[in-house]
Amino acid sequence: MKKPGVSFAQPRPLIRWSVHAAIVILLTALTQIGGLAWLAAMLLSRRFRGTRRAIAVLAMFVPLYGLGSALASVVAPVFGRVPLPCLAEQGATMHMQSMLYCVLNRQYVVPELKTAALALSAHMNSSFPGTTTLTLDGNFPFFDGFPLLPHLSHSDGRKLDIAFYYNDVAGVFRDGETRSPLGYFAFEQLREGAASPCEGRDDVVTMRWDLAALQSLWSPMALEEKRTSEAIRWLSDEGRAYGVAKIFVEPHLAERLGVSAETIKFQGCRAARHDDHIHIQVSK
Ligand SMILES: [Zn+2]
């Protein structure tokens, strides 16, 4: 006799395949290889049915995704990408701000960009001993033109975001810490009389999110201006020898930090704000 109340285990095929398709698309958009791992898990769990199959897919997905991610780091150099350091290691001056970036395979860049970022971090640590430089989104391990959402331009391994440096409320530098959990979206607000080229615009299609509701949730830290301005200055000066061709910084922040150079640019009013992190890109 059939048990009542477990109908979710036998959804109609169309619904079931739509759910799997949505999961594959989401995992691919988030991690590049996650969708493939999901498809492989589905294939390997064919002999199960209903709830048991759903559990089997989930149970197989995790190790398959882990294996795929490990393989990606070995194969990525064939595609011209290398991974940035994920973990804080003894004596190292740079690592990803959160392991989540590495879990999602978003720590890949072209070798010359890795060299530039490591040179920046070495400079920062020699100028301010005990300073770790934290990296944010880079790119996925494979293929040019594969977008790293929600970024508009991180699709060729030549772009990397770097976290700001922060002080605590007492004005003491907090090495390896950021205001927001992932280093993004803790915007530096405009000060009285500061440059505000986007003021008064009412763009319908825009990625210039202010995320006002989130701002009070972040840690009450303050931008460490000396380190942040020195990092931008180095990138726009010595960084050029490493191929750094473009640095996005919001105009009001560049003004406040006293940095200006041909390579320090404003990304425009329809792209994401750049007063919560530094975006750099290396030329071809
Ligand atoms: Zn960026």
Side-chain angles (χ1 to χ4, degrees), residues 9 15 17 55 60 67 168 182 216 219 251-253 257 265:
I15 297 173
W17 286 110
I55 292 168
M60 288 182 197
L67 184 67
D168 63 18
L182 290 176
S216 62
S219 157
H252 76 92
L253 193 60
L257 296 175
K265 296 182 186 295

Side-chain angles (χ1 to χ4, degrees), residues 137 151 153-154 159-161 184 248 274 277-280:
D137 268 335
H151 304 274
S153 67
H154 289 231
K159 285 87 178 182
L160 175 66
D161 292 336
Y184 284 108
F248 285 155
H274 284 82
H277 69 278
I278 306 164
H279 166 105
I280 63 170

